[in-house]
Amino acid sequence: MIKIRSARPEEAEELSKLALRSKGYWSYSADFLAACEEELRVSSAQLSDSHWHCLVAELDSELLGYALLDGRLSQNWELEALFVEPDWIGKGIGRRLMDAVKELMRQTGVTRLVIQGDPNADAFYLAAGARQIGQRESASIKGRVLPLFELTVS
């Protein structure tokens, strides 16, 4: 049975590697992935900080995906990352993580989530109830512009 739980600080490196594998699913070049590596890195400090929230999906102790939330602004969180193991993409893991994110927001009274998405994930975020509100330049690739979404929860 797939379980959603909070990430543990000692899982930071494993989550960072999962992010790169997941990004690679979309056939990005090795150079592109190398340029993104630092931005996709999850730190044990983030996973230990009460202002950050990281939910993982697991099956029999195997990590299937995760969602990392920056909660430093109390009412306006940002989805820092949402990645799923390539073999599990399209099997509902991302949706389950987004549902868990929404529930966490409700429990904590947070009403707005900002999401800088990958162009390959536009349909996913729209299906999750987000709306596109603009664009933002990539922190990894100069000149690359990424879609920006907003998800509100009541």
Side-chain angles (χ1 to χ4, degrees), residues 11-144:
E11 294 173 317
E13 185 63 29
E14 188 175 353
L15 295 175
S16 298
K17 290 176 182 176
L18 188 159
L20 282 172
R21 287 191 300 274
S22 183
K23 194 78 158 171
Y25 173 85
W26 301 106
S27 299
Y28 288 116
S29 71
D31 288 342
F32 179 93
L33 293 173
C36 294
E37 189 170 357
E38 186 59 36
E39 184 181 6
L40 298 180
R41 180 167 283 119
V42 178
S43 73
S44 58
Q46 286 171 312
L47 300 181
S48 300
D49 186 328
S50 64
H51 293 102
W52 289 84
H53 307 276
C54 187
L55 301 173
V56 299
E58 73 174 357
L59 177 63
D60 300 328
S61 301
E62 177 190 357
L63 295 181
L64 307 179
Y66 75 94
L68 178 64
L69 302 150
D70 181 348
R72 291 177 288 181
L73 298 176
S74 62
Q75 291 303 307
N76 295 297
W77 287 0
E78 182 149 355
L79 182 65
E80 194 69 23
L82 191 152
F83 290 104
V84 175
E85 278 289 356
D87 288 346
W88 287 88
I89 290 175
K91 297 180 180 172
I93 302 302
R95 179 182 43 77
R96 290 188 64 174
L97 285 165
M98 281 302 294
D99 288 347
V101 165
K102 291 177 197 177
E103 183 57 31
L104 180 61
M105 290 172 65
R106 285 185 196 95
Q107 289 173 2
T108 55
V110 174
T111 57
R112 181 173 184 258
L113 181 68
V114 175
I115 305 163
Q116 176 183 290
D118 184 283
N120 292 300
D122 286 0
F124 171 79
Y125 290 120
L126 293 170
R131 65 182 185 89
Q132 189 166 353
I133 57 170
Q135 297 179 325
R136 182 189 288 168
E137 187 169 351
S138 167
S140 299
I141 311 293
K142 187 171 174 53
R144 184 172 192 243

